[in-house]
Amino acid sequence: MSVAVTPRHVRHTAGLMRSIYLPRTADALAFAMSTYGIPLLVLATTRSAALTGAAFTLEWIPRLAAFGWAGSIVDRRGAAVVFHLASLGRALALAAGAVLLHLHPSGSVASATVMVLAATTGVLTEFSYIAAETAGAAAGRRAGARAHRVQAVLLGIDQTSTLAGPALAGVLLLAGPPPMLAVITVLSLLAALLALRTPPSPVAPARAPKGQSGAGLLTGWRTIRSLPALGWLVTGLTLSNLATGLLQAAGPVIVVTHFGQSTTAVGLVWSAAAAATLLAVTICRFALDRLGLWPVGAACAALASLACLAAAQAPDYLSYLVLVAVLMAADGGMTVVLRTLRSRLIPLEKFGSTLSATILILLLPFPVAGVLTALTPPDALGHVITACAALQALGLFCAFARLRTDPALRT
């Protein structure tokens, strides 16, 4: 009599599904819904373009301020603990916000509630994101030769959540702010509970030197400066992110106020962009094998610049949706180039600090985009987007012109 034995790789995949993939899915969906849904919520509650831009800024400034600390705390306490506590904290904050908006659907209390939610969810989401990334990296190391498969699944989870999250937030907002916040609360609570099954990650010594977070970011900055190819690419993408961040921050105002569409239509723009990005990332993987880094990156840079310039002058909602999707797809292709380049160039012993510094630099334009949206009258947003698109085109042209002869991008 024979006994069926489950193959080892099947057991390993099932274990990853329970301990890594499921909590990452719940957290990524809550991440996408809160990132795109909170500005929509602010616009629906306050009817103010200035406050919508301010809320976008409040989402991102605390994230940037907490970025180095999040990595340091994850290193000290472990990814599973921080993942659980951050997701639980976000669930409690959103639940409190849902109750307050149910009791006070408009007025000063509602305005204050949504602005505080923007800042609070921004910080807690950053902690859960860094913890989830760390847990995923640890799972990849444990997978050994299958590490690339783990990362491919995690990337797919992120992109799929970005595809579904904005549209779901927009649809739920039609039923009112409390239902939308309640769903994000449930997802955050689910992520917190599932995080309890996440394997513990290695932690740093209890008596690590004070200021380690700042020292790590300084080390990362010095490493970027010592690698010209990485530095030029990060510079170009940072300028590009100012244009894409402005489109994201001003999206609710443009779609609802300028084009006269619903909040659901705003979510559809970013869902279409996520779908296009997912397709572009898949295509770029094959294109990189045949053409190399520079041709693919330069083509994506040109496409992103043209799409952003055209989006600033889009005559109607449909053309705006298509152009934003093309822009984000091209941006996704450049992100693949960046991830490939930094994996080749950054020394292993400095990879973590350099990765943190790189992400921090790339995120800096987003709060700036929120400030620009808050300070710009709705009728003038098109002109500001055009100026940022021109700066994006100039930055990407200079970056890839400089990188044309760099040996790091020849293969």
Side-chain angles (χ1 to χ4, degrees), residues 203-252:
V203 296
R207 296 186 178 181
K210 292 184 178 181
Q212 187 176 13
S213 173
L217 291 176
L218 181 60
T219 299
W221 169 246
R222 289 172 176 169
T223 305
I224 293 173
R225 291 184 60 188
S226 69
L227 301 170
L230 183 62
W232 276 103
L233 187 56
V234 168
T235 300
L237 288 176
T238 300
L239 293 175
S240 180
N241 280 352
L242 179 61
T244 57
L246 185 58
L247 282 174
Q248 183 176 329

Side-chain angles (χ1 to χ4, degrees), residues 367-380:
V368 177
V371 172
L372 288 175
T373 302
L375 297 179
T376 305
D379 293 339

Side-chain angles (χ1 to χ4, degrees), residues 5-409:
V5 178
T6 305
R8 181 178 178 182
H9 71 276
V10 175
R11 296 196 304 271
H12 178 71
T13 302
L16 285 174
M17 177 64 72
R18 293 189 300 269
S19 62
I20 300 295
Y21 298 154
L22 286 178
R24 178 65 170 260
T25 299
D27 184 73
L29 191 54
F31 178 104
M33 289 183 67
S34 61
T35 297
Y36 294 94
I38 294 297
L40 282 176
L41 178 62
V42 173
L43 183 63
T45 303
T46 65
R47 301 295 178 184
S48 169
L51 288 179
T52 302
F56 189 84
T57 303
L58 282 175
E59 275 191 310
W60 283 102
I61 286 182
R63 290 186 185 184
L64 299 180
F67 196 88
W69 295 111
S72 178
I73 292 175
V74 169
D75 286 343
R76 289 172 178 268
R77 304 300 180 187
V81 173
V82 176
F83 193 2
H84 170 74
L85 293 177
S87 298
L88 182 60
R90 183 175 58 203
L92 294 174
L94 289 167
V99 171
L100 286 173
L101 290 178
H102 177 72
L103 298 175
H104 305 279
S106 61
S108 58
V109 174
S111 299
T113 298
V114 293
M115 300 303 283
V116 171
L117 276 179
T120 304
T121 56
V123 171
L124 294 172
T125 295
E126 189 59 55
F127 274 86
S128 67
Y129 173 75
I130 294 296
E133 282 286 289
T134 303
R141 286 193 293 269
R142 288 191 295 268
R146 296 189 180 92
H148 64 286
R149 299 183 185 180
V150 175
Q151 296 304 320
V153 173
L154 293 176
L155 181 60
I157 289 172
D158 289 343
Q159 290 298 326
T160 303
S161 298
T162 305
L163 171 64
L168 182 57
V171 170
L172 289 171
L173 193 56
L174 294 177
M180 186 192 79
L181 293 179
V183 172
I184 307 176
T185 298
V186 172
L187 288 170
S188 298
L189 185 59
L190 180 61
L193 294 175
L194 290 172
L196 296 174
R197 308 189 67 170
T198 300
S201 59
V203 296
R207 296 186 178 181
K210 292 184 178 181
Q212 187 176 13
S213 173
L217 291 176
L218 181 60
T219 299
W221 169 246
R222 289 172 176 169
T223 305
I224 293 173
R225 291 184 60 188
S226 69
L227 301 170
L230 183 62
W232 276 103
L233 187 56
V234 168
T235 300
L237 288 176
T238 300
L239 293 175
S240 180
N241 280 352
L242 179 61
T244 57
L246 185 58
L247 282 174
Q248 183 176 329
V253 180
I254 293 172
V255 174
V256 176
T257 303
H258 183 65
F259 292 131
Q261 301 293 320
S262 67
T263 55
T264 305
V266 182
L268 289 177
V269 170
W270 296 107
S271 294
T277 302
L278 190 58
L279 178 62
V281 168
T282 303
I283 294 173
C284 282
R285 289 175 183 173
F286 296 101
L288 287 171
D289 291 335
R290 293 179 176 271
L291 302 175
L293 287 175
W294 191 89
V296 173
C300 289
L303 188 60
S305 300
L306 293 174
C308 192
L309 286 167
Q313 307 299 325
D316 52 45
Y317 170 74
L318 182 59
S319 59
Y320 177 81
L321 181 148
V322 172
L323 289 168
V324 170
V326 172
L327 166 63
M328 297 309 297
D331 185 74
M334 289 189 290
T335 301
V336 174
V337 173
L338 172 64
R339 291 171 70 98
T340 305
L341 185 66
R342 72 190 182 195
S343 66
R344 291 183 181 181
L345 295 181
I346 300 174
L348 186 59
E349 66 276 8
K350 299 179 181 178
F351 192 87
S353 58
T354 308
L355 178 62
S356 297
T358 300
I359 296 176
L360 181 60
I361 293 170
L362 291 174
L363 292 182
L364 283 174
F366 286 93
V368 177
V371 172
L372 288 175
T373 302
L375 297 179
T376 305
D379 293 339
L381 279 174
H383 301 297
V384 177
I385 294 173
T386 300
C388 290
L391 185 63
Q392 173 196 40
L394 178 63
L396 291 175
F397 175 81
C398 292
F400 280 95
R402 173 62 179 80
L403 293 171
R404 181 177 177 83
T405 58
D406 197 293
L409 274 80

